[in-house]
Amino acid sequence: MQNSISEQAFAEVVVFNALEQALHYVIPAQLGTRAEVGKRVLIPLGRREAVGLIVHIQRQPPDLARDVSMRPVQAIIDEYPIVPEDLIRLSRWVARYYFHPLGKVLQLSCPPGIHPEPVASYRITEEGKKALVAGPPSALLTAVSNGTELTLPQIKARLGTLPSLWKEINLLEKRGWVERRFVWNTPSVRSKSIKMLKLLKPASDLPAHARNEKLQQIMTLLETSGGEMPMKNLRSRTKNPDYWVSRLRREGMVSIHHAEELRESRCAQDLPCLEAPEPSTDQQRILESILPHLESNSFKPFLLYGVTGSGKTEIYLRLIEQALKLGKGVLVVVPEIALSTQLEALFRQRFDASLAIWHSGLPTGARYDQWRQVVAGSKKVVLGVRSAVFMPVSDLGLIIVDEEHDLSYKQEDRLRYHARDVALVRAQMLKIPIILGSATPSLQSFRQSSLGRYELLALTQRILDRPLPSIQIVDMRKEKGEFRILSRQMREAIQETIGNRHQVIIFLNRRGFATFLLCRTCGLVVQCSQCSVSLTYHRDKERMCCHYCGSEYAPSSQCPGCNRSGMVYHGFGTERLEQELRQIVPEARIIRMDRDTVSHPRDMAALLNKVRNQEVDVLIGTQMVGKGHDFPHVTLVGIINADTSLQISDFRAGETTVQLLMQVAGRAGRGVEPGHVIIQTHNPQHYTIASLLDMDYLAFCNQELAAREVLQYPPYTKFLKLLVTAAEEETTRTSAGILVELCREVAVQLRVQDQPVVILGPAPAPLSKLKNRYRWHIFVKAWCNKDLQEFTEAVLAKARELPDLRRVELTVDRDPMSTL
Ligand code: ADP
Ligand code: ZN
């Protein structure tokens, strides 16, 4: 006889996107063998059903309060685990470190739209049947009267979306004439199926009576396509292919089956296909430092510091090829889709068949197809943006984080994780090497390398010993004349460069035409009605735009404050730059690249292709033009308003400015001709601008680190931001006050154990209102992660008890990258 006790198992299930922690369920015997960690299940949750992920299975009943009765898992959704155990472990770490619900973290390992969704479905009851005969006519009752069950979308399709439909459904339900239940519907990502034709016998076996020209032709085509091809390939060649194929099937020559069609994901730039270059001695040296760790599977972070144009990408390519030879998977994370289109092209040249792409520019279906192939292990290299760190790459053996200093690795809403930091933890858990590459490493990583925690690998020379560009600084305070944006030196250099048939990149980190609209009478600056932000004037669309919430307004010539006319535009963005440039070099071919002209990675790839093919003389744009591009004919880079990003009141302003400007400058002189960079500024004596002159990034790092140490800022300390937001200003302010009291209390308790935690604030955030919500913040500073963890857990536990804090939204931002 079977022993039912030993067969019983219990599952710990996390509901996707929910706030609850893990819940426990019994796995019924009939599902027992199919239950596995990493598979999705359908479970009862309160009075509804939900989709969750099994994160743990145990034989022992879990310790629960006695009055909690465990309910059974209802169904198992997946045939195979969709989230591997190592990602579940990583997600647990992320949930704890960033104080975020596990179900929301796990969601990041799944492509959008893969979960079945509940859809209301209606059926007539016995009562309803009686009512149909006796009562008033009802189209809805009639529709469901023959015993069929109709889902809400089906009802809508039949009866139209009458405004009264909803009311009628509710009424019928209340009277007990129809019954509602929920059915689970698989959503938009369902894979596409196509008909495939398969060869069963060689063409020479075609029987004599079927030796017909058409049939021979199809057989030959099939043989030359490797014995299998989509039916639709025949349609362009043959009239009435179905007829001919049916004849071949009758002869037992071919068969038809259905296969999945994978949706297109390519967004690559067109790159000339070149032979892989022989690694230089520098590149070879670096490869030799990393390869042993790839082979032996050991955790080891490398900081690959290579000046712009030093050939970091070739190192990545060689390492990936090696990993593939060893049967290992590789994860390559880049900060922006902009960078991925160029890398994607290079990757496709070398290992197209193994490559999966992951970014939000892909349609849901294509993304799903990429993800499925990664889970199945048929794509072993994933190239993607931030969220790719959660991709279920199988046999992961190497992680590469390119441009590791980039701020876009930090997600600034919901789960505020830092992709580089999560990647480091993932590498550590899997015991594999990880490479953080950059020409301008973050101070954070640079400090880790000086402490010996990361191995610093430096490429100090450009490839083929090409020189770094020469730098010229122009003091804009001395500029006068008709042109407002471009200095005399810049104008001359642009004309000369174009005259020599070379290309120019001009960088201005502001889009739009004018950066604000000011009233000459009362001094009012026009602001967004939802945000405490001045509006930018966009001339292309004749609108005033808020760059934070996306609201748009018609430009007005009257002041909204004093109603008088005489509004003037101030400041300038890329649209205005383009206009001025066209006056200076009317014959030049100019393109502008910013978020107004590029909305999809394919737009970006198309623009960059034009630059590469020299169909463009001047490329102007925001930071999009500064990132990673490798254009050999660009010899001049102009930087406008180099100091704007220094004005932000953030202790990282110096670091991010130097990184950005050195990256932009690094686009010049990457080919045979040497490059030149002109930097326009109102602050030529500022130490960050001065440090650009000799392009010595490490010297700047050392200087900046010394300053951070004095002030005890990160990386010498750990920061955490508590952001309080609400729709009313008063509620926000008082709640922030209550929260800070609570923080001080907890800090005192911790200090008893001799662990200092410093509380700064509360204060209104510099962006004091966004999307109609007021914002206050509190900064917490600690000297080690453990203290910060303990402190925050205690604060959050107490905050949950306080009714006053339920009126506001409280966001925890660990290791915040922005103080705005
Ligand atoms: P980085 O990413 O460090 O800025 P890239 O990887 O883009 O630099 O390399 C700069 C240029 O040098 C590219 O055009 C690349 O093809 C070329 N390159 C890289 N390695 C070599 C090599 N070993 N020999 C010749 N050219 C190389
Ligand atoms: Zn706004």
Side-chain angles (χ1 to χ4, degrees):
M1 224 182 92
Q2 284 192 331
N3 183 338
S4 63
I5 299 287
S6 74
E7 289 217 331
Q8 194 153 34
F10 304 90
E12 199 181 325
V13 176
V14 175
V15 176
F16 283 108
N17 265 328
L19 293 174
E20 297 98 353
Q21 295 307 312
L23 303 164
H24 290 89
Y25 291 87
V26 181
I27 303 172
Q30 73 271 21
L31 296 180
T33 52
R34 290 184 49 223
E36 256 183 282
V37 169
K39 286 183 178 179
R40 286 173 300 168
V41 285
L42 207 56
I43 44 158
L45 184 70
R47 289 163 66 190
R48 62 184 179 104
E49 291 172 321
V51 178
L53 190 81
I54 305 183
V55 295
H56 183 66
I57 292 179
Q58 61 192 59
R59 297 270 156 208
Q60 301 296 321
D63 297 330
L64 297 176
R66 189 127 6 108
D67 55 342
V68 179
S69 67
M70 257 183 296
R71 302 208 266 169
V73 166
Q74 287 177 346
I76 293 175
I77 296 174
D78 299 302
E79 234 168 294
Y80 303 100
I82 63 159
V83 184
E85 292 208 52
D86 68 291
L87 267 185
I88 295 177
R89 229 177 109 211
L90 181 71
S91 301
R92 283 191 197 271
W93 182 89
V94 168
R96 180 164 185 268
Y97 187 83
Y98 291 104
F99 305 96
H100 208 71
L102 183 55
K104 296 197 174 198
V105 179
L106 284 169
Q107 186 58 49
L108 286 169
S109 295
C110 304
I114 80 161
H115 302 317
E117 284 156 17
V119 178
S121 170
Y122 297 87
R123 194 165 38 189
I124 196 164
T125 60
E126 287 308 317
E127 289 294 300
K129 283 180 189 158
K130 284 180 209 153
L132 189 62
V133 181
S138 154
L140 179 60
L141 270 189
T142 315
V144 291
S145 63
N146 57 359
T148 51
E149 184 172 333
L150 293 182
T151 63
L152 195 55
Q154 284 167 337
I155 293 175
K156 280 185 185 159
R158 286 193 195 189
L159 303 182
T161 44
L162 312 172
S164 57
L165 183 63
W166 219 185
K167 235 167 121 189
E168 188 179 347
I169 293 178
N170 283 335
L171 186 73
L172 295 179
E173 208 187 330
K174 223 195 242 154
R175 291 191 180 147
W177 293 354
V178 296
E179 230 171 35
R180 178 182 50 171
R181 60 174 199 129
F182 284 96
V183 293
W184 292 82
N185 212 354
T186 346
S188 52
V189 293
R190 198 173 291 136
S191 52
K192 235 170 103 186
S193 159
I194 50 167
K195 264 192 193 170
M196 295 291 290
L197 201 54
K198 192 175 174 189
L199 194 66
L200 297 177
K201 290 180 191 164
S204 51
D205 284 8
L206 201 63
H209 67 265
R211 290 263 159 105
N212 155 311
E213 194 192 335
K214 259 277 118 61
L215 298 182
Q216 292 272 23
Q217 201 186 334
I218 296 176
M219 292 299 288
T220 319
L221 192 62
L222 254 176
E223 275 185 337
T224 51
S225 353
E228 212 175 288
M229 69 181 184
M231 262 300 276
K232 68 177 179 198
N233 288 10
L234 276 187
R235 304 213 187 278
S236 54
R237 294 165 207 259
T238 319
K239 261 196 215 152
N240 209 355
D242 297 302
Y243 167 71
W244 300 111
V245 167
S246 72
R247 279 191 57 182
L248 285 174
R249 285 173 76 185
R250 235 179 294 141
E251 301 296 339
M253 302 300 291
V254 301
S255 67
I256 283 185
H257 64 275
H258 286 261
E260 277 175 34
E261 182 175 47
L262 296 173
R263 283 154 284 203
E264 185 62 69
S265 60
R266 185 181 292 263
C267 293
Q269 287 178 47
D270 311 331
L271 286 192
C273 192
L274 300 173
E275 288 269 303
E278 265 312 296
S280 65
T281 39
D282 267 350
Q283 287 170 327
Q284 194 59 41
R285 169 177 55 84
I286 285 173
L287 286 170
E288 277 162 19
S289 313
I290 301 170
L291 284 172
H293 295 274
L294 179 63
E295 279 150 22
S296 69
N297 269 351
S298 45
F299 171 59
K300 175 98 185 172
F302 294 95
L303 180 58
L304 175 57
Y305 163 59
V307 297
T308 52
S310 59
K312 294 184 287 296
T313 314
E314 187 59 34
I315 295 179
Y316 302 157
L317 289 164
R318 298 260 164 184
L319 289 169
I320 299 168
E321 281 169 337
Q322 196 54 36
L324 286 173
K325 272 190 202 142
L326 295 167
K328 298 180 187 204
V330 184
L331 177 59
V332 183
V333 201
V334 292
E336 281 206 34
I337 300 171
L339 271 178
S340 75
T341 59
Q342 184 174 334
L343 275 186
E344 183 186 337
L346 286 169
F347 283 22
R348 292 209 186 274
Q349 288 178 10
R350 306 267 186 110
F351 32 79
D352 190 21
S354 312
L355 183 64
I357 300 292
W358 186 253
H359 57 68
S360 58
L362 295 178
T364 310
R367 235 172 137 174
Y368 174 60
D369 289 345
Q370 295 288 298
W371 173 84
R372 248 172 349 135
Q373 294 176 87
V374 173
V375 177
S378 57
K379 299 273 188 196
K380 301 212 87 154
V381 180
V382 171
L383 169 65
V385 297
R386 187 170 62 210
S387 62
V389 293
F390 293 104
M391 281 294 268
V393 186
S394 49
D395 312 306
L396 187 57
L398 174 68
I399 303 180
I400 297 170
V401 181
D402 192 25
E403 310 289 354
E404 67 87 25
H405 64 280
D406 202 292
L407 289 184
S408 53
Y409 279 131
K410 184 76 160 48
Q411 178 151 300
E412 291 292 357
D413 61 347
R414 304 182 309 265
L415 170 58
R416 298 184 169 226
Y417 69 101
H418 196 301
R420 176 200 57 215
D421 297 345
V422 174
L424 278 158
V425 172
R426 192 167 179 190
Q428 187 170 24
M429 285 180 169
L430 290 173
K431 302 195 179 62
I432 58 171
I434 173 168
I435 298 162
L436 311 179
S438 178
T440 53
S442 61
L443 291 189
Q444 167 75 28
S445 299
F446 183 58
R447 167 120 175 105
Q448 293 291 335
S449 77
S450 27
L451 292 172
R453 293 186 191 145
Y454 302 170
E455 186 174 334
L456 181 67
L457 301 171
L459 285 168
T460 51
Q461 296 294 319
R462 278 189 162 180
I463 207 79
L464 306 174
D465 286 334
R466 285 169 186 158
L468 282 170
S470 56
I471 312 282
Q472 177 185 1
I473 292 179
V474 175
D475 183 352
M476 289 306 279
R477 293 171 304 185
K478 297 183 183 143
E479 275 298 308
K480 289 186 190 71
E482 61 169 314
F483 295 107
R484 283 188 52 213
I485 306 180
L486 298 161
S487 61
R488 186 182 49 79
Q489 290 96 318
M490 186 82 88
R491 297 195 301 267
E492 287 170 5
I494 294 171
Q495 279 158 342
E496 191 188 320
T497 310
I498 297 177
N500 292 336
R501 310 213 160 275
H502 291 143
Q503 291 170 300
V504 182
I505 291 181
I506 302 182
F507 164 77
L508 169 60
N509 212 5
R510 274 248 164 94
R511 59 198 174 90
F513 192 84
T515 45
F516 59 97
L517 184 57
L518 178 89
C519 171
R520 244 195 308 230
T521 318
C522 72
L524 177 133
V525 171
V526 181
Q527 287 206 334
C528 177
S529 65
Q530 305 191 46
C531 312
S532 57
V533 170
S534 58
L535 295 174
T536 303
Y537 173 56
H538 286 244
R539 208 164 78 160
D540 283 1
K541 34 182 184 182
E542 267 298 314
R543 306 293 274 176
M544 302 291 297
C545 303
C546 172
H547 287 181
Y548 285 86
C549 72
S551 305
E552 294 187 4
Y553 307 80
S556 141
S557 54
Q558 261 184 349
C559 174
C562 66
N563 279 327
R564 262 171 287 197
S565 59
M567 302 296 287
V568 280
Y569 291 108
H570 271 278
F572 53 81
T574 46
E575 280 183 16
R576 176 86 165 75
L577 167 64
E578 182 178 357
Q579 186 193 51
E580 188 166 306
L581 196 61
R582 288 193 190 279
Q583 287 170 355
I584 294 163
V585 278
E587 71 290 354
R589 297 162 299 172
I590 301 171
I591 57 173
R592 172 160 62 88
M593 196 161 88
D594 54 31
R595 264 199 288 148
D596 297 315
T597 60
V598 173
S599 57
H600 189 274
R602 281 194 202 99
D603 304 341
M604 167 89 68
L607 290 184
L608 295 175
N609 281 338
K610 283 192 177 167
V611 181
R612 182 173 310 285
N613 299 333
Q614 288 182 276
E615 292 161 33
V616 166
D617 300 306
V618 189
L619 169 66
I620 65 177
T622 54
Q623 50 179 329
M624 284 184 186
V625 305
K627 295 196 172 175
H629 316 301
D630 184 37
F631 298 128
H633 298 286
V634 172
T635 58
L636 174 68
V637 165
I639 294 174
I640 315 289
N641 272 2
D643 32 86
T644 36
S645 59
L646 287 173
Q647 290 152 11
I648 298 169
S649 60
D650 187 318
F651 70 86
R652 281 197 186 82
E655 178 184 358
T656 45
T657 303
V658 171
Q659 285 166 346
L660 182 61
L661 299 187
M662 280 200 186
Q663 293 282 350
V664 179
R667 302 310 113 206
R670 294 168 74 94
V672 182
E673 298 289 325
H676 185 60
V677 179
I678 300 179
I679 299 175
Q680 294 187 173
T681 175
H682 288 88
N683 268 310
Q685 72 297 344
H686 195 282
Y687 75 104
T688 52
I689 304 291
S691 80
L692 288 167
L693 262 181
D694 42 15
M695 290 286 273
D696 186 351
Y697 184 69
L698 291 191
F700 165 78
C701 283
N702 285 320
Q703 190 181 2
E704 189 76 1
L705 278 173
R708 297 261 184 101
E709 186 167 15
V710 172
L711 297 168
Q712 289 292 289
Y713 278 150
Y716 294 91
T717 49
K718 304 281 172 190
F719 269 27
L720 181 139
K721 178 164 81 176
L722 294 168
L723 180 66
V724 177
T725 66
E728 294 87 36
E729 196 164 13
E730 181 58 21
T731 317
T732 321
R733 192 176 57 81
T734 47
S735 302
I738 294 169
L739 185 62
V740 87
E741 283 311 309
L742 209 157
C743 287
R744 297 229 158 86
E745 236 172 75
V746 175
V748 168
Q749 286 163 6
L750 286 183
R751 197 163 306 150
V752 177
Q753 303 159 26
D754 207 25
Q755 292 163 314
V757 170
V758 176
I759 320 283
L760 309 160
L767 291 171
S768 58
K769 189 175 103 179
L770 272 186
K771 299 183 188 175
N772 276 331
R773 292 186 72 84
Y774 291 87
R775 310 167 77 241
W776 277 65
H777 59 203
I778 296 166
F779 277 86
V780 183
K781 173 162 148 178
W783 275 261
C784 76
N785 269 324
K786 191 174 145 285
D787 291 350
L788 198 52
Q789 185 75 35
E790 215 173 294
F791 169 83
T792 314
E793 278 171 13
V795 168
L796 293 178
K798 291 196 176 180
R800 272 190 281 274
E801 308 286 300
L802 285 184
D804 277 340
L805 291 181
R806 293 208 188 110
R807 293 183 300 156
V808 295
E809 193 180 330
L810 173 58
T811 308
V812 184
D813 186 353
R814 189 160 194 173
D815 307 323
M817 297 305 285
S818 148
T819 49
L820 300 180

